[in-house]
């Protein structure tokens, strides 16, 4: 690699690389994100390489291992360019046929196409897949086009051109003004205006300043940042260099979860390549501006996603938060001015510079500009990562993109904002999704987790689940969070196990107020949200547990009773075979079995296997 000494040299290199590539040459792109790795994409990749070698097609066909495409439910995914033929759930056995039929003969293999469940029609091209139609993939879109370990791929799609423009044409003050005009807000959860944060950090006293990318992402079920840094690490690096130039920082860190090995690997490769091209390090593109980035692996603590705890961890200390009256933009890492933004925020920056503020501000709502990537998981047909314009409704996401609830069940709630987010009921499905609207109903945007629940979900149990998680992840530094979460979890446990009593709901609300008002950091302040919103929107379920000792969803085992319907049971013995405690006794064929209540542990195995609805659960 040649070290570039000016923005003009960068553009010349980009043109050279682009001209050296044939846009009409078939290219088999295989999703290499973590989700597809779990489905065995490594074996599919090896099979393609072997088949192409065997068919002597190395000069005629390219293979590209990309980052996550988002449609994780259907992995491993293969998209054949330039036509964008979309094949899903590909196994090793499918590879020879793809090469012989699609690559050599140009035929479409119907059985590998996605079938639209609403129309029954097979979809040939990626952009026609309903999952992608309502998305606006401006940040996440390049994941499907580039190999994250090849910097030239990023250059071909316009990579680092924003950096060149900034260094050549904009002063730090002009750059900050552009980001402020764009309305970009932090995508890590707080939603604080990015330009204002940059400006405050630039104006803070101190010659040494730092820029940090928060890639800790501890929310259960969330993996947006992971997939961005795995699939397009250079977009984050470029955003960080631009931000550092604006602030006057010369050192930066990517704080990433140690449980993200592919993200760590790809970010490390990207940093090395950017340094070799002169896009990181000393005298970047001949501008006289110096900036370096190091990777720091987090220890897996959820609380280290909080800014001050993260910085303490970076310093080698225990990851504990500190009082919020000390702002990190003034006294952050090593008590020096520090700007912290999350992965998705940094990835937005080059787009704003390249496409302009006017383009960016046309996306989203008046106070929430741009797009947001959500991790759509839970009781939904199409799980995966979705990027949508701010202001889209929950209904459009869950039904238009996620294709609704599996097995014909009814939608019940969706939790947004991670474990500290609120649970939003069916009556609010038409709620616009942006920072302000979610806050109004007791939830929040958070980093982008979106967990869908169906009618079989117990809302009291789900509140207990998230509170248990938060209790375990609390650093324990402040009393309200340490003791308050424990006491709230104990109350919820009592309610779900049949020991709930009058006054428990009010006590939960009082404890929630104490945590919100008195906790040291955002973990404790927002922890009551799952409890408060489930009480607010599903109070009848709490009352059923407390007053009637009944779980309407049939989840809380201690409140359930199983019995046999003698009129329906034919003694088929299926339930007897799966019962782990021998609580079911077979009498004779065509006679109902007997269920010993003293031996029954209420596991529900008999209920699950009975095909005649002869097991009654109440």
């Amino acid at each position: 690699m040649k070290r570039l000494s000016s923005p003009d040299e960068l553009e010349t290199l980009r043109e050279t690389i682009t001209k050296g590539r044939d846009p009409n040459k078939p290219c088999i792109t295989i999703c290499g994100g973590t989700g597809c790795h779990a489905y065995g994409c490594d074996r599919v990749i090896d099979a393609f390489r072997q088949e192409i070698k065997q068919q002597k097609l190395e000069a005629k066909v390219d293979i590209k291992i990309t980052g996550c495409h988002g449609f994780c439910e259907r992995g491993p995914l293969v998209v054949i360019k330039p036509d964008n033929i979309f094949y899903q759930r590909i196994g090793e056995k499918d590879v020879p046929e793809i090469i012989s039929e699609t690559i050599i003969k140009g035929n479409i293999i119907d059985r590998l196409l996605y079938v639209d469940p609403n129309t029954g029609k097979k979809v040939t091209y990626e952009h026609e897949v309903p999952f992608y139609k309502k998305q606006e993939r401006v940040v996440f879109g390049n994941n499907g086009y580039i190999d994250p370990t090849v910097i030239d791929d990023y250059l071909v799609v316009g990579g680092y051109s924003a950096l060149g423009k900034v260094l050549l044409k904009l002063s730090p003050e002009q750059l900050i003004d552009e980001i402020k005009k764009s309305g970009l807000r932090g995508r890590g959860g707080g939603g604080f205006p990015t330009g204002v944060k940059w400006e405050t950090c630039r104006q803070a006293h101190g010659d040494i300043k730092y820029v940090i990318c928060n890639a800790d992402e501890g929310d259960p079920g969330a993996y947006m940042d992971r997939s961005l840094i795995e699939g397009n690490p250079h977009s984050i690096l470029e955003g960080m260099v631009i931000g550092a130039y604006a602030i006057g920082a010369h050192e930066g860190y990517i704080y990433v979860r140690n449980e993200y090995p592919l993200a760590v690997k790809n970010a490390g490769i990207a940093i090395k390549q950017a340094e070799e091209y002169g896009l990181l390090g000393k005298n970047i593109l001949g501008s006289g501006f110096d900036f370096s980035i190091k990777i720091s692996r987090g220890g897996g603590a959820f609380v280290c996603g909080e800014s001050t705890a993260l910085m303490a961890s970076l310093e080698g200390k225990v990851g504990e938060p500190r009082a919020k009256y000390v702002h990190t933009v003034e006294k952050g890492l090593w008590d020096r001015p520090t700007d912290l933004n999350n992965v998705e925020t940094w990835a937005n920056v080059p787009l704003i510079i390249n496409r302009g503020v006017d383009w960016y501000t046309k996306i989203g709502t008046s106070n929430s500009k741009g797009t947001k990537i959500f991790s759509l998981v839970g009781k939904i047909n199409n799980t995966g990562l979705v990027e949508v314009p701010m202001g889209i409704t929950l209904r459009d996401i869950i039904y238009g993109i996620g294709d609704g609830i599996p097995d014909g069940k009814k939608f019940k709630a969706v939790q947004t904002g991670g474990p500290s987010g609120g649970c939003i009921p069916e009556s609010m499905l038409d709620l616009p999704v942006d920072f302000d609207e979610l806050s109004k109903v007791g939830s929040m945007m958070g980093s982008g987790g979106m967990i869908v629940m169906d009618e079989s979900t117990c809302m009291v149990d789900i509140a207990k689940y998230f509170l248990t998680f938060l209790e375990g992840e609390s650093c324990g530094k402040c009393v309200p969070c340490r003791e308050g979460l424990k006491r709230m979890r104990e109350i919820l446990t009592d309610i779900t196990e049949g020991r709930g009593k009058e006054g428990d709901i009010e006590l939960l609300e009082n404890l929630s107020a104490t945590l919100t008002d008195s906790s040291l950091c955002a973990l404790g302040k927002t922890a009551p949200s799952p409890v408060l919103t489930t009480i607010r929107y599903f109070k009848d379920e709490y009352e059923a547990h407390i007053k009637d000792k009944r779980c309407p969803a049939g989840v809380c085992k201690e409140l359930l009773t199983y019995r046999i319907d003698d009129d329906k049971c034919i003694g088929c013995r299926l339930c007897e075979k799966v019962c782990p405690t021998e609580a079911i006794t077979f009498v004779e064929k065509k006679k109902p079995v007997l269920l010993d209540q003293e031996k029954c542990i209420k596991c529900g195995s008999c209920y699950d296997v009975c095909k005649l609805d002869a097991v009654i659960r109440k």
Side-chain angles (χ1 to χ4, degrees):
M1 290 184 180
K2 177 188 174 184
R3 186 175 178 84
L4 304 169
S5 60
S6 71
D8 287 340
E9 281 193 12
L10 171 63
E11 292 307 314
T12 300
L13 174 63
R14 190 192 324 279
E15 291 174 8
T16 301
I17 296 169
T18 304
K19 287 178 181 177
R21 297 187 174 190
D22 181 0
N24 298 314
K25 186 179 181 181
C27 179
I28 301 169
T29 63
I30 307 162
C31 176
T34 296
C36 283
H37 272 288
Y39 281 123
C41 72
D42 280 341
R43 296 190 296 274
V44 174
I45 292 166
D46 290 342
F48 269 114
R49 285 173 174 161
Q50 291 172 13
E51 189 67 22
I52 286 174
K53 185 177 181 180
Q54 186 175 330
Q55 297 283 351
K56 298 180 180 180
L57 295 172
E58 294 97 328
K60 297 180 179 180
V61 181
D62 288 333
I63 291 183
K64 193 181 297 294
I65 315 307
T66 71
C68 175
H69 291 215
F71 202 0
C72 307
E73 175 71 23
R74 294 285 165 165
L77 301 176
V78 170
V79 180
I80 301 174
K81 299 182 183 299
D83 294 328
N84 290 324
I85 298 167
F86 183 82
Y87 289 150
Q88 41 93 55
R89 292 181 176 169
I90 300 303
E92 302 155 83
K93 66 181 185 305
D94 302 313
V95 170
E97 188 177 0
I98 293 173
I99 297 298
S100 63
E101 289 297 319
T102 305
I103 297 299
I104 296 176
K105 299 179 182 177
N107 297 327
I108 302 298
I109 305 170
D110 283 355
R111 65 180 181 81
L112 301 180
L113 297 176
Y114 175 77
V115 179
D116 186 338
N118 299 306
T119 64
K121 293 182 179 179
K122 293 179 178 179
V123 182
T124 302
Y125 305 107
E126 185 178 31
H127 64 277
E128 295 177 345
V129 175
F131 177 79
Y132 295 115
K133 271 190 174 180
K134 287 193 176 182
Q135 295 190 46
E136 193 160 349
R137 294 159 61 84
V138 295
V139 176
F140 204 55
N142 279 334
N143 264 35
Y145 289 88
I146 65 175
D147 182 333
T149 65
V150 179
I151 190 173
D152 288 0
D153 279 8
Y154 183 63
L155 295 181
V156 167
V157 297
Y160 291 105
S161 60
L163 176 60
K165 290 178 185 177
V166 164
L167 296 178
L168 196 65
K169 298 179 180 179
L170 297 178
S171 68
E173 292 79 11
Q174 289 173 321
L175 171 57
I176 289 172
D177 190 51
E178 287 293 290
I179 299 300
K180 286 172 68 177
K181 287 178 182 176
S182 74
L184 175 64
R185 295 173 65 174
R187 298 301 198 254
F192 192 81
T194 303
V196 174
K197 183 184 282 191
W198 287 14
E199 184 175 54
T200 307
C201 193
R202 178 169 181 80
Q203 293 172 352
H205 295 292
D207 295 329
I208 300 176
K209 299 178 181 181
Y210 300 103
V211 159
I212 302 175
C213 173
N214 184 352
D216 189 61
E217 194 174 44
D219 294 0
Y223 57 107
M224 305 77 58
D225 292 348
R226 174 184 198 158
S227 294
L228 260 179
I229 207 165
E230 285 177 357
N232 195 356
H234 286 285
S235 66
I236 290 92
L237 300 187
E238 185 177 10
M240 290 179 70
V241 181
I242 292 170
Y245 171 76
I247 291 160
H250 301 289
E251 295 180 55
Y253 294 88
I254 297 175
Y255 186 91
V256 61
R257 289 179 70 81
N258 194 45
E259 299 90 337
Y260 286 1
L262 186 58
V264 171
K265 175 187 172 184
N266 289 354
I269 292 171
I271 289 171
K272 183 179 179 181
Q273 291 174 339
E275 288 173 341
E276 290 174 349
Y277 266 146
L279 300 165
L280 274 177
K282 297 287 185 180
N283 193 24
I284 295 172
L285 292 178
S287 65
F289 175 64
D290 305 336
F291 182 65
S292 60
I293 296 176
K294 296 178 182 177
I295 296 173
S296 177
R297 300 191 186 194
F302 177 73
V303 74
C304 283
E306 194 275 339
S307 58
T308 58
L310 182 153
M311 292 177 198
S313 178
L314 257 175
E315 293 171 4
K317 301 172 185 176
V318 174
E320 293 178 340
R322 65 185 187 189
K324 283 296 185 183
Y325 63 82
V326 180
H327 300 296
T328 56
V329 288
E330 296 169 348
K331 288 192 175 182
L333 189 64
W334 291 296
D335 278 336
R336 289 164 175 159
T338 305
D339 177 84
L340 174 75
N341 290 116
N342 91 317
V343 171
E344 190 178 345
T345 311
W346 288 120
N348 268 277
V349 171
L351 293 169
I352 293 169
I353 301 301
N354 275 332
R355 303 191 189 185
V357 169
D358 289 343
W359 164 82
Y360 193 77
T361 53
K362 288 177 183 177
I363 306 171
T365 61
S366 59
N367 205 31
S368 298
K369 300 298 182 184
T371 62
K372 180 73 189 79
I373 302 173
F374 289 98
S375 171
L376 188 61
V377 297
K379 302 294 182 67
I380 192 159
N381 282 310
N382 293 339
T383 60
L385 298 177
V386 303
E387 183 179 357
V388 291
M390 295 276 199
I392 190 174
T393 66
L394 286 169
R395 188 183 301 276
D396 280 338
I397 295 174
I398 292 167
Y399 287 94
I401 297 172
D403 194 39
I405 315 303
D407 304 321
K409 292 188 176 181
K410 187 179 178 183
F411 169 83
K412 189 170 191 177
V414 58
Q415 191 202 35
T416 67
S420 300
C423 298
I424 302 170
E426 182 186 22
S427 61
M428 295 182 178
L429 270 174
D430 293 312
L431 181 79
V433 178
D434 67 18
F435 289 104
D436 303 323
E437 294 299 322
L438 290 174
S439 296
K440 288 177 185 177
V441 300
S443 192
M444 60 181 178
M445 181 79 71
S447 60
M450 191 171 283
I451 302 174
V452 180
M453 307 165 205
D454 67 14
E455 59 190 296
S456 65
T457 304
C458 170
M459 301 312 294
V460 185
D461 180 69
I462 207 73
K464 182 181 75 172
Y465 167 80
F466 286 116
L467 223 63
T468 301
F469 173 83
L470 292 166
E471 180 193 6
E473 294 295 338
S474 170
C475 74
K477 186 175 182 179
C478 71
V479 173
C481 184
R482 183 182 70 237
E483 300 300 327
L485 285 176
K486 178 182 177 183
R487 184 67 190 113
M488 290 178 72
R489 190 261 307 157
E490 289 172 346
I491 295 168
L492 288 167
T493 299
D494 284 345
I495 294 173
T496 57
E497 293 181 357
R499 298 186 297 274
K501 54 187 182 296
E502 292 289 338
D504 278 352
I505 295 175
E506 291 73 20
L507 182 54
L508 285 169
E509 291 174 327
N510 289 336
L511 285 169
S512 295
T514 301
L515 260 75
T516 301
D517 294 340
S518 309
S519 294
L520 185 62
C521 79
L523 186 151
K525 290 180 181 297
T526 59
S529 296
V531 178
L532 290 173
T533 51
T534 51
I535 290 175
R536 181 176 174 182
Y537 301 121
F538 302 95
K539 194 171 184 177
D540 57 325
E541 288 198 31
Y542 280 84
E543 292 173 342
H545 281 72
I546 295 169
K547 296 177 181 179
D548 305 331
K549 307 301 177 188
R550 178 177 63 87
C551 176
V555 171
C556 302
K557 290 198 299 183
E558 287 76 4
L559 301 181
L560 298 179
T561 300
Y562 291 88
R563 68 178 182 84
I564 305 299
D565 187 333
D566 292 346
D567 294 330
K568 293 183 178 179
C569 182
I570 60 172
C572 68
R573 306 187 76 170
L574 278 177
C575 56
E576 180 196 18
K577 292 175 182 177
V578 298
C579 180
T581 59
E582 298 182 346
I584 295 175
T585 304
F586 173 71
V587 180
E588 62 178 282
K589 199 171 183 180
K590 295 187 179 180
K591 295 288 185 181
V593 297
L594 302 177
L595 175 58
D596 187 337
Q597 294 294 339
E598 292 185 3
K599 290 184 178 180
C600 178
I601 60 171
K602 304 175 182 180
C603 66
S605 297
C606 56
Y607 181 85
D608 293 336
V609 300
C610 184
K611 299 177 180 179
L612 301 173
D613 295 326
V615 180
I616 299 172
R617 180 177 68 185
K618 286 189 176 180

